[in-house]
């Protein structure tokens, strides 16, 4: 089975902190994604990566950056966390081309 | 840009009955994929069913089937014989077929409650 693992299920951080959300997949997928999920807004794409060290902005990249140094790992970075970044964050991966995406279990981040 | 619209925020159905979840989308692409994902309270997103736009036949997966109307840009999900375990959020999603950098565009989701 494909497994996408996010490092934390729940996280509480203070305003202004630098926050790292980690995601690891074990199926050698080329594509990896970070989505943000908010009630009434669905899933919105923050960033995605289609290869090591390659990244593209999604729909809401402001306030976020990403890192992909190894194929299996995709990190989302909140440079200076703010309360409006309190949300559920979902990582996903997929093989190259138009294929099903596999999701992690989500990280519920609260910024206080 | 593609958009996906799920206009019903919530629905409720009696166990063992049939329910249909609606989804419309807007795109200028001719070739694409459509998906329904399920997110139960555990938060794990699971693929329910997928449809390739070039296929005229509607996809079916056990109790789940779709009504794909390409001209109308409509993609509804029918759940037959609803079970308590079907209680979840359901997201409709669109993916372009071209290129390596394919990503999903999601609707806002619908919360489905199955009543015992």
């Amino acid at each position: 089975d494909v497994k996408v693992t996010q490092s934390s299920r729940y996280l509480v951080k203070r305003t202004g902190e630098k926050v790292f959300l980690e995601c690891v997949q074990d199926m050698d997928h080329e594509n990896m994604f970070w989505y943000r999920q908010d009630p009434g807004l669905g899933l919105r794409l923050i960033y995605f990566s289609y290869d090591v060290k390659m990244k593209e902005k999604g729909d809401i990249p402001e306030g976020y950056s990403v890192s992909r140094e190894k194929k299996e790992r995709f990190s989302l970075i909140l440079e200076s966390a703010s309360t409006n970044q309190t949300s559920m964050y979902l990582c996903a991966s997929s093989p190259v081309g138009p294929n099903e995406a596999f999701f992690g279990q989500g990280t519920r981040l609260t910024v206080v | 840009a593609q958009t996906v619209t799920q206009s019903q925020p919530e629905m409720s159905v009696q166990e063992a009955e049939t329910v249909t979840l609606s989804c419309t989308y807007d795109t200028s692409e001719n070739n694409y994929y459509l998906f329904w994902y399920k997110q139960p309270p555990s938060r794990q997103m699971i693929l329910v069913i997928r449809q390739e736009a070039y296929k005229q036949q509607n996809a079916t997966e056990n109790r789940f089937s779709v009504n794909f109307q390409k001209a109308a840009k409509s993609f509804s999900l029918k759940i037959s014989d609803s079970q308590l375990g079907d209680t979840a959020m359901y997201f409709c999603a669109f993916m372009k077929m071209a290129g390596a950098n394919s990503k999903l565009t999601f609707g806002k989701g619908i919360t489905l409650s199955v009543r015992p």
Side-chain angles (χ1 to χ4, degrees):
Chain A
D1 276 354
V2 174
K3 195 160 186 184
V4 179
T5 303
Q6 295 182 228
S7 54
S8 303
R9 197 159 167 84
Y10 298 94
L11 210 52
V12 179
K13 295 292 182 181
R14 294 194 179 277
T15 301
E17 274 193 80
K18 190 169 186 175
V19 181
F20 293 86
L21 302 185
E22 307 285 349
C23 175
V24 177
Q25 51 97 0
D26 66 359
M27 281 301 292
D28 203 36
H29 286 167
E30 288 77 11
N31 297 331
M32 295 190 75
F33 309 87
W34 276 106
Y35 286 91
R36 172 176 170 160
Q37 182 179 1
D38 298 288
L41 297 177
L43 276 74
R44 294 177 292 167
L45 182 64
I46 305 171
Y47 267 98
F48 71 101
S49 170
Y50 49 91
D51 201 352
V52 175
K53 297 190 189 294
M54 305 301 287
K55 62 185 179 185
E56 282 195 24
K57 293 180 180 179
D59 301 317
I60 53 164
E62 296 78 20
Y64 304 95
S65 62
V66 291
S67 173
R68 193 166 180 200
E69 297 296 319
K70 293 185 178 181
K71 190 175 185 180
E72 67 271 18
R73 187 180 296 269
F74 191 35
S75 303
L76 179 69
I77 304 157
L78 286 65
E79 297 291 342
S80 177
S82 64
T83 55
N84 63 12
Q85 293 178 309
T86 291
S87 186
M88 171 79 76
Y89 291 87
L90 292 169
C91 175
S93 72
S94 70
V96 68
N99 285 294
E100 170 192 355
F102 297 85
F103 284 81
Q105 78 278 24
T107 296
R108 190 174 294 281
L109 172 67
T110 302
V111 182
V112 298
Chain B
Q2 287 67 231
T3 59
V4 178
T5 302
Q6 295 178 254
S7 55
Q8 308 152 301
E10 294 181 5
M11 288 191 76
S12 179
V13 65
Q14 194 73 33
E15 192 175 10
E17 293 188 347
T18 295
V19 64
T20 298
L21 311 182
S22 301
C23 174
T24 58
Y25 59 94
D26 189 23
T27 184
S28 57
E29 303 285 333
N30 192 46
N31 294 317
Y32 47 87
Y33 286 107
L34 295 162
F35 302 83
W36 278 98
Y37 276 86
K38 169 184 177 180
Q39 186 182 43
S42 67
R43 302 188 337 212
Q44 183 67 55
M45 291 276 278
I46 306 163
L47 178 68
V48 176
I49 200 165
R50 63 187 275 173
Q51 174 82 41
E52 292 85 350
Y54 62 86
K55 290 187 178 178
Q56 292 187 335
Q57 186 172 7
N58 288 325
T60 299
E61 197 73 42
N62 300 315
R63 297 183 295 107
F64 299 88
S65 61
V66 298
N67 184 4
F68 173 50
Q69 303 286 333
K70 190 173 183 180
K73 297 180 181 174
S74 170
F75 183 60
S76 59
L77 175 69
K78 185 170 84 169
I79 306 174
S80 304
D81 185 25
S82 296
Q83 300 176 0
L84 296 178
D86 295 333
T87 291
M89 279 204 76
Y90 288 82
F91 291 94
C92 178
F94 172 99
M95 178 184 280
K96 288 195 298 186
M97 189 174 279
N101 307 333
S102 300
K103 53 191 184 292
L104 288 163
T105 299
F106 286 88
K108 294 182 179 181
I110 177 171
T111 300
L112 176 68
S113 300
V114 180
R115 304 185 306 273

